[in-house]
Amino acid sequence: MRLLDEVTPAIDSAAAVGELLPRSGIVVSGITKTYKGGKVKALNNLSLEIRPGEALGLVGPNGAGKTTLLSCLMGFLLIDSGSILIDGEAPDALATRRVLGYLPERLTFDRWMTGRDYMQYHHELAGMPEATRKLDCEALLEKVELHPSTWSVAVKKYSRGMLQRLGFAQALVGKPRYLLLDEPASGMDPHGVMIVRQLLKTLKEDGLTILLNSHQLDQIEKVCDRVIFIKAGTVSRVEDLNEKIEQEEHLLIRWLSSATELRSEDFGRVAQKECLAITEINSDFARVSTAGSAATVKLIKALVTANFPISEVRPEDTRLERLFIKSSQEEPTA
């Protein structure tokens, strides 16, 4: 009874309950990581939360601390202060290891192994059943579209793109719930980039929680629910990509070049009402800025009504590119 009497007051506190009960997802609270005896601060009181089942993108300039953050989440680096919890456990706990899949930016392989041997080796390390080892590994190699003719080839003969696919397949061994990816499409050709993008969408639909660090902003925008902008080791901005917002759009508009009777003055006269600015007009294209998607729709409708034979309307930058520029110009918050 004495032990229960001592514990009960703490349980009555809401704050204490929050500390005692494990939280699902990844919770990073005020972590700081320094190098060179504290002289270089890679992470500076950084906090973020990754909700179960979401895809979160990390964006920031080189040296912002993104790869250091991933290394801390994996338990490879010890933090100076703050805390990291993954499903309520520390990053280096065995329970955490079982639910994490990881693809590093700099890949290291046992180069004498074949691709198949490498996968089966990690399948065994993950404690997966031997009875399904061959089929499980082959299914993952097929998932990343690594051709069967390469499975029995030594890894040292793989191209960079093939190594990247093998690394991605290995990250999925053990059916992780969390997937931490550091530049997963690095070194891949355009087809490989599309494979990674579709694979990420499929994994997200399957319920995996994904943390994606990538310089390919279009990939993050098409896959992620939210984006964390990191600058100088701390979070400078959080953006919900599922939230629809109206913001300035920069467009390239093309029309059929055969329409020689159309002049730049005609385009300007029709478009001026819906445009914030017309930055360039040529014989068959124009570059314009609008106040947002609603204004863009009105602009296209006005041009079509005026019999402009529009052949293409496309943005010249994306929402994430504009936000990246804006975030880079802002001072990070402590």
Side-chain angles (χ1 to χ4, degrees), residues 257-333:
S257 58
S258 59
T260 54
E261 71 277 7
L262 297 174
R263 299 175 301 174
S264 59
E265 293 84 356
D266 298 321
F267 181 92
R269 173 179 50 79
V270 175
Q272 190 172 18
K273 182 179 178 182
E274 307 300 340
C275 288
L276 292 176
I278 301 174
T279 56
E280 183 180 1
I281 301 179
N282 210 309
S283 60
D284 60 352
F285 75 88
R287 286 186 166 88
V288 305
S289 299
T290 70
S293 57
T296 297
V297 170
K298 290 182 180 180
L299 170 61
I300 297 170
K301 183 178 180 180
L303 291 170
V304 171
T305 301
N307 294 320
F308 266 77
I310 302 298
S311 61
E312 180 185 14
V313 179
R314 64 176 173 85
E316 295 218 277
D317 55 12
T318 66
R319 172 182 175 181
L320 204 50
E321 286 172 341
R322 293 190 292 271
L323 288 171
F324 178 78
I325 293 172
K326 185 176 181 180
S327 178
S328 299
Q329 295 169 345
E330 293 174 344
E331 290 296 324
T333 56

Side-chain angles (χ1 to χ4, degrees), residues 3 15 82 97 101 110 142 148 150 161 181 197 202 204 210 216 299 317 319:
L3 180 60
R97 299 289 192 194
D110 298 298
E142 290 174 351
T150 67
L181 306 172
R197 183 182 302 156
T202 301
K204 183 174 176 294
I210 300 171
Q216 297 180 359
L299 170 61
D317 55 12
R319 172 182 175 181

Side-chain angles (χ1 to χ4, degrees), residues 44-198:
N44 182 16
N45 193 33
L46 183 147
S47 298
L48 59 85
E49 184 169 352
I50 308 173
R51 305 159 187 159
E54 83 166 332
L56 180 72
L58 288 181
V59 173
N62 292 332
K66 304 184 299 298
T67 296
T68 297
L69 172 61
L70 287 170
S71 296
C72 292
L73 290 173
M74 288 298 300
F76 299 152
L77 294 176
L78 295 178
I79 56 177
D80 297 11
S81 59
S83 68
I84 298 173
L85 293 176
I86 301 175
D87 283 351
E89 300 280 354
D92 57 355
L94 288 178
T96 303
R97 299 289 192 194
R98 294 189 184 99
V99 299
L100 287 180
Y102 176 57
L103 178 61
E105 181 181 14
R106 296 178 178 85
L107 298 169
T108 303
F109 295 92
D110 298 298
R111 297 177 63 81
W112 58 269
M113 283 187 174
T114 66
R116 189 197 302 272
D117 291 340
Y118 182 80
M119 289 294 294
Q120 293 184 351
Y121 173 67
H122 282 277
H123 191 276
E124 184 172 0
L125 284 179
M128 302 300 287
E130 184 178 0
T132 63
R133 183 158 298 146
K134 182 176 182 294
L135 291 178
D136 288 349
C137 292
E138 289 180 354
L140 290 174
L141 291 171
E142 290 174 351
K143 187 184 288 285
V144 299
E145 296 192 26
L146 192 60
H147 197 275
S149 64
T150 67
W151 297 355
S152 298
V153 175
V155 170
K156 64 183 177 181
K157 296 183 179 180
Y158 278 21
S159 67
R160 175 60 193 273
M162 292 165 63
L163 291 173
Q164 205 72 23
R165 295 188 195 203
L166 180 62
F168 204 132
Q170 186 274 322
L172 297 175
V173 169
K175 300 179 179 179
R177 295 205 309 273
Y178 296 93
L179 197 56
L180 277 56
L181 306 172
D182 199 353
E183 300 291 351
S186 177
M188 285 190 172
D189 58 21
H191 180 62
V193 172
M194 289 188 288
I195 290 172
V196 168
R197 183 182 302 156
Q198 184 55 52

Side-chain angles (χ1 to χ4, degrees), residues 3 8 11 38 52 60 77 95 117 192 212 220 239 255:
L3 180 60
T8 300
I11 295 180
L77 294 176
D117 291 340
L212 172 62
I220 287 182
E239 189 73 18
W255 54 88

